[in-house]
Amino acid sequence: MRLDKYLKVSRLIKRRTVAAEACDNQRVMVNGKAARASYAVKVGDEIEIRFGQRVTCVTVLRVTEHVGKDEASAMYREVVVEPLPEDGAEK
């Protein structure tokens, strides 16, 4: 399944066009590399989505063409990421 479609079906991003734009603007990384909207998502891939200061990281558990709203969150597992320290913050 294409990355932009996976992001929409899993409800990580609400619309496929927004998901495609995020990929085009290099805001979506798969396994540590910038990914195009046409990337073929596989089970085990790690997806990182950046919107402003918010970063969401997930591991793909299932790839399914159609899924209900209640089951969408079962397609991935959220990975906890430590926030980056802001400039000027004490270490």
Side-chain angles (χ1 to χ4, degrees):
M1 174 186 301
R2 290 173 52 102
L3 177 58
D4 58 346
K5 185 170 182 181
Y6 180 84
L7 293 172
K8 188 240 185 247
V9 170
S10 65
R11 291 174 168 75
L12 287 166
I13 296 179
K14 285 189 176 189
R15 288 179 297 183
R16 189 169 176 179
T17 55
V18 174
E21 288 174 7
C23 293
D24 291 343
N25 293 324
Q26 297 185 347
R27 295 184 184 276
V28 180
M29 310 277 275
V30 177
N31 299 326
K33 298 179 184 175
R36 299 179 68 137
S38 61
Y39 174 83
V41 176
K42 299 174 285 303
V43 172
D45 282 344
E46 291 192 9
I47 301 173
E48 179 181 303
I49 307 164
R50 294 180 176 270
F51 276 120
Q53 298 296 322
R54 184 173 176 217
V55 178
T56 303
C57 294
V58 298
T59 301
V60 176
L61 300 178
R62 276 184 12 198
V63 178
T64 308
E65 291 287 328
H66 302 285
V67 67
K69 185 166 80 170
D70 298 335
E71 300 166 358
S73 62
M75 293 180 68
Y76 60 88
R77 178 180 61 234
E78 197 157 351
V79 178
V80 177
V81 177
E82 295 296 322
L84 297 173
E86 294 183 25
D87 293 336
E90 292 185 30
K91 294 182 181 180

